[in-house]
Amino acid sequence: MMTGKSIGTILGFLALCLVALPLTNIAVAEDGVGSAVAQKDYQLGPQDKVRINVYEWRPSRDEIYEWTAFKAEYTVNPSGFLSLPLLGDISANGLSTTALAQDLGERLKDRMGLLDKPDVTIEVVEFRPFYVVGAVEKPGEYPYRPGLTVLGAYSIAGGKQRNAAGPLRLEREAISTRGDLHAYGLETQTLEARMARLKAELDNASEINWPPEIKARMADPALSATFKQEQLVFDTRREAFETQVNALNQLQTYLDKEVISLEKQIKVHETATNAVRSELEMVMKLYKKGLTAAPRKLALERNMAQVDGERLRMESSLMRARQEISKTKIAIIDLQAKRSSEISTDMQTSRARLDEIKGRMETSKHLLYETEVLAPQLAATEENAKLLQPIFKILRKGNGHSSEQVVSQDAVLNPGDTVIVEQPVRQSQLGPPLPKELTPLASQGATPTASADISTERLR
């Protein structure tokens, strides 16, 4: 029979689960791009950030146990996986939060040997971004929010592209963007050097095997300090690790010698024990016949007891020495495992940051192209032109391919979409087109526009 406390605890747990249910699992299902027709669960993808909560009901203690090891925020990596404690890399790409929660519950049940799977709740705390390119004031990457429309994205990007600032503004933007590219380049090279150092540490190499592209830049004064610093870190960490391992190996060697010494002492002691025992047996025979005095018998019995006690002491010392050897071996294994785990974590963090920097570099290159090439052309054609209404397109990736479609301003966006804004002008107002070899990103569509269509991949 359930007590009032049990019922209250269960009701509290149910209320907690209801509160923890993610409100962000609902997304707009679309018939084509931009036409909302139904509701379906939101499907996770790279760059989505989720929060995971795991609870387990323990009837024997009448309590709800929270698995704090999982209580954190996790980001879906570019390959579509979540890296979780105990479970490792779990595929999340294309799954709803409900499906992923059920999968994690089953995996935890099997992994931990539970009778019932724990309750897992997953909440999307940060959606993957969307992108706006083309004839807008501030093209780039923006955080997504549910229910966002094309018109809302157009407004977030600053609306219609303005060029009132003239060449000075464009020059400032170009200088700023080039500065960003330079900073990204330096950080990329620093991260690549760190990755090379971590790989050498993970392989237990005696020196860093620098890749050819890094060796070619070692003479650069701006980067030589970075490479020297990585080499110093490598040498210091390797020396510290070897010192600890050598100390443990020396301790194990000492204990091995102690075990050998104790084993030899026990053998010698056995000889002495046999001699005392033989003498005692002879004295006992003489004592029974009345040929020897009782004190002699008692003295030999005391000697025999002392000999047996000494043997027990040596055997105990031998057992303790063997236990210390086992502890030392475990300490060496733990030290190596901890070092490998730390290096792997550092490599994963550096790799994620390197991927992020490369994506930012691609975006900055495109923005620089727009500032130096497309914006001046638009300014020249827009000065006396009568602009028409902007044309909105959505570039969406799915199932391994991309689709592009003209949509209305009320179309609903999905995370990861690219909004392409084209500003058509009257044909008579357009200046001479840019040479094709100078505008690799320019739109080649039938409708003349003053912007470029940039794919999602280039922005990433």
Side-chain angles (χ1 to χ4, degrees), residues 131-133 393-396 416-420 454-456 459:
Y131 307 89
V132 182
V133 298
K393 295 181 179 180
I394 290 181
L395 181 64
R396 178 167 298 166
D417 283 352
T418 298
V419 178
I420 304 172
I454 309 301
S455 69
T456 307
L459 283 174

Side-chain angles (χ1 to χ4, degrees), residues 80-137:
F81 288 86
L82 285 173
S83 296
L84 303 178
L86 298 177
L87 300 179
D89 290 341
I90 302 299
S91 177
N93 191 39
L95 296 179
S96 66
T97 55
T98 302
L100 181 59
Q102 294 175 351
D103 181 44
L104 294 183
E106 292 292 344
R107 289 175 181 268
L108 288 173
K109 174 185 174 183
D110 296 338
R111 177 70 172 82
M112 306 303 294
L114 302 176
L115 293 178
D116 299 316
K117 67 178 182 180
D119 295 292
V120 181
T121 61
I122 299 178
E123 176 187 0
V124 180
V125 296
E126 184 178 319
F127 294 91
R128 54 189 181 272
F130 70 95
Y131 307 89
V132 182
V133 298
V136 292
E137 182 64 15

Side-chain angles (χ1 to χ4, degrees), residues 183-396:
Y184 292 150
L186 290 178
E187 187 172 358
T188 297
Q189 292 163 352
T190 300
L191 290 170
E192 289 175 347
R194 183 177 304 166
M195 291 289 291
R197 187 253 299 172
L198 291 172
K199 184 178 185 304
E201 290 182 349
L202 193 62
D203 295 339
N204 290 323
S206 59
E207 60 181 13
I208 302 177
N209 183 20
W210 298 108
E213 59 272 15
I214 293 181
K215 287 183 178 179
R217 298 193 298 266
M218 282 189 172
D220 187 348
L223 299 173
S224 60
T226 298
F227 299 137
K228 291 180 181 178
Q229 180 65 27
E230 293 297 333
Q231 184 66 52
L232 178 61
V233 172
F234 174 79
D235 294 337
T236 302
R237 286 162 60 102
R238 180 169 177 267
E239 182 179 353
F241 176 72
E242 289 180 349
T243 300
Q244 296 179 39
V245 173
N246 289 337
L248 291 172
N249 286 331
Q250 289 175 2
L251 176 59
Q252 182 178 343
T253 301
Y254 168 78
L255 293 171
D256 288 337
K257 292 180 179 179
E258 184 177 359
V259 167
I260 294 174
S261 175
L262 288 171
E263 289 175 344
K264 290 180 178 179
Q265 292 179 36
I266 291 174
K267 289 182 179 179
V268 173
H269 189 271
E270 287 179 353
T271 302
T273 301
N274 292 334
V276 174
R277 184 178 290 110
S278 298
E279 184 178 1
L280 179 61
E281 289 175 353
M282 289 187 296
V283 170
M284 288 297 294
K285 291 178 181 179
L286 294 175
Y287 177 76
K288 290 179 180 179
K289 295 178 180 180
L291 299 178
T292 185
R296 183 181 180 187
K297 178 179 78 71
L298 293 175
L300 286 174
E301 288 176 343
R302 282 195 299 269
N303 289 341
M304 191 65 199
Q306 291 175 356
V307 168
D308 289 339
E310 184 66 17
R311 176 181 177 83
L312 291 176
R313 184 190 63 79
M314 287 189 293
E315 288 178 346
S316 297
S317 298
L318 179 61
M319 184 179 300
R320 283 195 297 270
R322 287 172 175 170
Q323 289 176 343
E324 291 299 324
I325 291 175
S326 299
K327 290 181 180 179
T328 304
K329 291 180 179 179
I330 293 174
I332 294 174
I333 295 173
D334 288 344
L335 181 63
Q336 294 172 339
K338 182 179 179 181
R339 180 172 183 264
S340 298
S341 177
E342 291 176 352
I343 294 173
S344 298
T345 301
D346 290 343
M347 288 189 69
Q348 184 177 10
T349 303
S350 299
R351 172 57 62 188
R353 179 59 180 170
L354 187 61
D355 292 340
E356 178 185 354
I357 291 299
K358 289 182 177 180
R360 291 177 180 270
M361 288 182 68
E362 290 299 318
T363 302
S364 296
K365 288 177 182 179
H366 167 61
L367 295 177
L368 183 63
Y369 174 79
E370 284 197 340
T371 300
E372 294 185 338
V373 179
L374 297 182
Q377 181 191 22
L378 179 61
T381 58
E382 190 181 81
E383 185 174 354
N384 296 313
K386 294 181 180 179
L387 298 178
L388 304 176
Q389 291 296 321
I391 299 173
F392 300 109
K393 295 181 179 180
I394 290 181
L395 181 64
R396 178 167 298 166

